[in-house]
């Protein structure tokens, strides 16, 4: 088993807060707030990502819509009951946050060290581009794990489709938001947003958790 450290899940973000803080929950007297951060891509598009931050990190800075911020944290998951079904929800749990004057290069990066927990799904786009979908479990303290949907492209997709459940991998990439449409019970299409890791580099370790 991999040693559980914060270094198995590292997210760096730089961007503009797109919402004001909204109270989320309280644990042992510590309040947590949600907001979103808008991060420009190299193309003309952008990602809007959810973040969760403790009140204890907000004592010395003013956080509000429109502020430019630099964030260091972890990508975490939890189950949320929606319409009597469990839904996997992702958020960036903030470890450090500070306001900045302007955006910098590499505004969106993530490193993950974890285990394949579902058989990879290999497919091709209508234009013939190869994609492999992965679900990766990242261990953290107190016997908890985060389950991170990830997507691998091109030649890395060919490599990733051969991974087995239990294989330990390390991967580098970016956190992205993606809009999609889903039909509701009334037959009308509903716009939804999915969050996932787009992997640019992937490495298989010698360890397999099932062996």
């Amino acid at each position: 088993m991999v040693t559980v450290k914060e270094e198995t899940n590292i997210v760096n973000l730089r961007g503009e807060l797109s919402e004001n803080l909204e109270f989320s929950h309280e644990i042992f007297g510590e309040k947590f707030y949600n907001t979103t951060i808008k991060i420009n891509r190299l193309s003309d598009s952008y990602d809007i990502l959810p973040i969760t931050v403790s009140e204890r990190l907000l004592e010395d800075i003013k956080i509000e819509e429109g502020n430019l911020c630099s964030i260091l944290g972890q990508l975490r998951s939890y189950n949320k009951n929606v319409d009597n079904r469990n839904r996997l929800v992702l958020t960036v749990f903030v470890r450090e946050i500070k306001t900045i004057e302007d955006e910098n290069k590499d505004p969106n990066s993530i490193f993950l060290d974890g285990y394949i927990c579902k058989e990879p799904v290999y497919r091709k786009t209508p234009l013939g581009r190869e994609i492999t979908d992965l679900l990766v479990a990242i261990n953290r303290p107190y016997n908890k794990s985060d389950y991170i949907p990830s997507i691998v492209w091109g030649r890395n997709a060919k490599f990733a489709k051969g991974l087995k459940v239990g294989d330990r991998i390390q991967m580098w990439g970016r956190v992205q938001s993606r809009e999609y449409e889903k039909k509701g019970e009334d037959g009308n299409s509903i716009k939804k947003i999915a969050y996932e890791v787009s992997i640019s580099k992937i490495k298989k370790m010698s360890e397999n958790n099932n062996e």
Side-chain angles (χ1 to χ4, degrees):
M1 291 286 290
V2 65
T3 303
V4 179
K5 298 179 179 177
E6 291 180 13
E7 287 76 11
T8 59
N9 186 338
I10 304 171
V11 180
N12 279 287
L13 303 175
R14 284 175 178 262
E16 179 184 325
L17 295 183
S18 47
E19 296 178 357
N20 286 321
L21 292 172
E22 181 178 312
F23 175 76
S24 170
H25 61 282
E26 184 174 334
I27 299 176
F28 299 116
E30 182 177 4
K31 294 179 181 177
F32 292 86
Y33 295 86
N34 291 336
T35 184
T36 54
I37 186 169
K38 178 182 176 182
I39 303 169
N40 292 322
R41 297 188 183 183
L42 294 176
S43 59
D44 291 332
S45 58
Y46 55 84
D47 296 291
I48 294 182
L49 305 177
I51 64 173
T52 301
V53 58
S54 165
E55 63 179 347
R56 298 176 186 178
L57 296 178
L58 303 174
E59 293 177 356
D60 299 324
I61 58 174
K62 187 177 182 181
I63 297 295
E64 58 186 20
E65 183 179 350
N67 280 1
L68 290 174
C69 289
S70 171
I71 288 170
L72 174 66
Q74 296 179 314
L75 185 58
R76 293 191 175 177
S77 71
Y78 62 93
N79 283 315
K80 184 178 182 180
N81 190 281
V82 180
D83 298 328
N84 295 319
R85 296 179 62 183
N86 275 337
R87 181 176 165 221
L88 188 71
V89 177
L90 298 185
T91 186
V92 175
F93 184 81
V94 177
R95 296 285 191 184
E96 298 176 16
I97 184 169
K98 58 184 179 181
T99 54
I100 55 176
E101 294 299 321
D102 52 21
E103 295 180 62
N104 206 334
K105 65 177 183 176
D106 299 324
N108 182 341
S109 66
I110 185 170
F111 166 74
L112 296 171
D113 184 335
Y115 296 88
I116 301 293
C117 58
K118 186 179 179 181
E119 286 292 335
V121 177
Y122 174 80
R123 54 195 169 91
K124 287 187 178 181
T125 68
L127 296 177
R129 194 173 185 192
E130 295 172 289
I131 304 172
T132 296
D133 294 306
L134 301 175
L135 187 64
V136 184
I138 313 297
N139 294 331
R140 58 178 158 106
Y142 309 111
N143 294 319
K144 292 185 178 180
S145 296
D146 295 297
Y147 297 91
I148 311 299
S150 305
I151 190 166
V152 198
W153 302 85
R155 59 186 176 82
N156 284 333
K158 282 185 176 178
F159 166 79
K161 72 177 181 179
L163 294 170
K164 305 296 182 187
V165 172
D167 280 345
R168 179 184 168 192
I169 62 167
Q170 292 182 340
M171 57 193 199
W172 295 257
R174 55 192 296 280
V175 188
Q176 68 180 20
S177 60
R178 174 174 53 84
E179 278 194 357
Y180 67 97
E181 290 191 353
K182 184 177 181 180
K183 281 194 176 180
E185 293 181 359
D186 58 2
N188 293 324
S189 293
I190 304 170
K191 280 192 175 182
K192 291 183 173 288
I193 300 177
Y195 304 102
E196 62 200 2
V197 172
S198 179
I199 300 170
S200 57
K201 180 182 173 185
I202 185 170
K203 177 181 179 182
K204 180 183 175 183
M205 312 301 283
S206 59
E207 184 178 346
N208 182 295
N209 206 26
N210 287 343
E211 294 177 354

